[in-house]
Amino acid sequence: MIENLLQSTPSLTNFAIFFGLATALLMVVLGFVTYGILAERKVMGFMQGRIGPNQVGGRWGLLQTVADVLKLLLKEDTIPKLADKPLFIIAPVIAFTPAFMVLATIPFTDAFQFADIGVGLLYYIAISGITTIGVVTGGWASNNKYALMGGMRAAAQMISYEIPLVMSVIGVILLSGSLNLNDIIAAQADTTWFILLQPIAFLVFFIASVAELNRTPFDLPEAESELVAGFHVEYSGFRWAFFMLAEYVYFFAMAALTTVLFLGGWLAPFGLTFIPGAVWFALKFALVVFILIWFRVTFPRLRADQLMEFGWKVLLPVALVNIFLTALMKELFF
């Protein structure tokens, strides 16, 4: 681990190294966001029989997202006259900061991880929930009924789907015997990938994670056809960009967490260990990202009542049944 290379006593050198590594990771994440958006638009265009971006940056539109970001940075930053100004300003920061914090505990390879926390999975789930506070704050501080409704929907959706999300990973914890993400990967090396041992948990986790990301078909907090733009309807320029950045950083983080929990992280399949673990992690990660984009293109948006009923009446009972089956399997076979 990276921290093992550093002295145990805090110092300016430690701070400088961690700051530099965190900045480098931020650049990688920003690169992913830039070209993740481009890839999403290209895949959506392909699936819908369109071309997608093809003007800025050559025939592939490689600089289209860069141009869009520059446009956002140059747009006027407006604040509604009757908005709660301090909260309106700080809400995007509250939404984005936890999104970047959760990346610290993701083990990208056996040698690259910022913080090997004993309860890394618990840390991820706890910190990621803070973003909803930023979303609700932004919706309330905007003094706009559509923004407030979007914020309330985000809070209700987070509560409804956080529970089956947590319940789904209990099976993984039972089989690995740990909340440490490195131990979870090691347990998959000893047996097999948990997507094979925990298919029900994977389905529940994947569906709940889409809802946690507020992506189609669970994008009720933004619902353009109903709420104009939802909780960020009054935001513009770089503050609006912060909300979008938080969404895509979580996109990155959730795809990475799915890779760790159910796809064996950096572990090589079929004994192909001559290929570096970082390559395997990237390939599995890319597959999860593609499936998330595929979801967005394929499914229509649910109604609010359907979303709540599906979370409480379907996902939660299925997650509870999976816990029972996992405990029984562990008792009989492990």
Side-chain angles (χ1 to χ4, degrees):
M1 300 304 167
I2 292 175
E3 63 266 28
N4 292 337
L5 302 177
L6 304 174
Q7 297 178 0
S8 58
T9 304
S11 66
L12 290 177
T13 303
N14 289 38
F15 174 80
I17 292 174
F18 273 109
F19 182 81
L21 290 170
T23 304
L25 180 60
L26 178 61
M27 294 299 104
V28 171
V29 172
L30 291 178
F32 165 82
V33 171
T34 300
Y35 288 98
I37 293 173
L38 177 64
E40 184 168 36
R41 295 174 68 181
K42 281 291 188 180
V43 171
M44 290 176 64
F46 172 76
M47 291 184 173
Q48 296 171 350
R50 300 183 288 105
I51 297 175
N54 68 337
Q55 296 297 317
V56 184
R59 60 175 295 190
W60 294 100
L62 296 177
L63 298 178
Q64 181 63 58
T65 308
V66 177
D68 292 341
V69 171
L70 291 176
K71 181 191 73 172
L72 284 174
L73 295 177
L74 295 174
K75 287 177 70 73
E76 181 182 2
D77 177 34
T78 59
I79 299 178
K81 182 178 179 180
L82 299 179
D84 189 323
K85 189 173 181 179
L87 291 180
F88 186 87
I89 292 173
I90 199 173
V93 179
I94 298 175
F96 168 74
T97 302
F100 189 62
M101 289 174 63
V102 298
L103 296 178
T105 191
I106 299 292
F108 298 100
T109 71
D110 55 348
F112 186 79
Q113 181 185 18
F114 283 87
D116 185 9
I117 303 175
V119 289
L121 182 56
L122 178 63
Y123 168 88
Y124 182 104
I125 294 171
I127 296 297
S128 63
I130 298 175
T131 291
T132 306
I133 298 176
V135 171
V136 175
T137 301
W140 185 86
S142 297
N143 195 31
N144 179 297
K145 62 181 180 181
Y146 296 116
L148 180 59
M149 289 175 65
M152 293 298 100
R153 282 186 176 186
Q157 186 167 314
M158 188 276 287
I159 294 171
S160 300
Y161 283 84
E162 190 85 7
I163 296 174
L165 182 79
V166 174
M167 291 289 189
S168 66
V169 300
I170 290 178
V172 172
I173 296 170
L174 285 173
L175 293 180
S176 63
S178 176
L179 285 165
N180 184 287
L181 295 178
N182 288 288
D183 292 343
I184 291 174
I185 294 176
Q188 294 176 79
D190 296 335
T191 55
T192 185
W193 295 355
F194 285 149
I195 191 174
L196 300 177
L197 294 177
Q198 290 282 290
I200 299 175
F202 172 75
L203 289 175
V204 174
F205 179 88
F206 192 82
I207 295 171
S209 66
V210 175
E212 288 288 296
L213 293 171
N214 293 335
R215 291 177 61 84
T216 307
F218 304 104
D219 58 338
L220 272 296
E222 300 176 25
E224 294 87 352
S225 59
E226 305 170 29
L227 304 180
V228 187
F231 61 89
H232 54 64
V233 64
E234 295 290 358
Y235 283 87
S236 62
F238 74 95
R239 298 190 200 283
W240 180 87
F242 255 79
F243 279 116
M244 291 299 99
L245 182 60
E247 177 180 329
Y248 278 91
V249 172
Y250 269 127
F251 190 20
F252 178 98
M254 191 61 77
L257 184 64
T258 304
T259 302
V260 168
L261 294 180
F262 295 99
L263 300 179
W266 63 81
L267 298 177
F270 312 117
L272 301 176
T273 54
F274 62 92
I275 300 176
V279 175
W280 284 119
F281 189 98
L283 290 174
K284 298 173 188 177
F285 171 84
L287 176 63
V288 176
V289 168
F290 175 78
I291 295 174
L292 286 170
I293 296 174
W294 193 0
F295 257 57
R296 177 176 179 180
V297 181
T298 304
F299 296 104
R301 180 184 300 125
L302 296 176
R303 295 198 315 262
D305 61 314
Q306 292 174 330
L307 178 139
M308 300 301 288
E309 287 185 3
F310 185 69
W312 290 103
K313 295 183 178 181
V314 178
L315 287 188
L316 182 57
V318 170
L320 289 170
V321 169
N322 181 71
I323 294 174
F324 172 78
L325 294 176
T326 303
L328 185 63
M329 180 176 67
K330 184 176 176 63
E331 181 67 24
L332 295 176
F333 302 108
F334 292 94

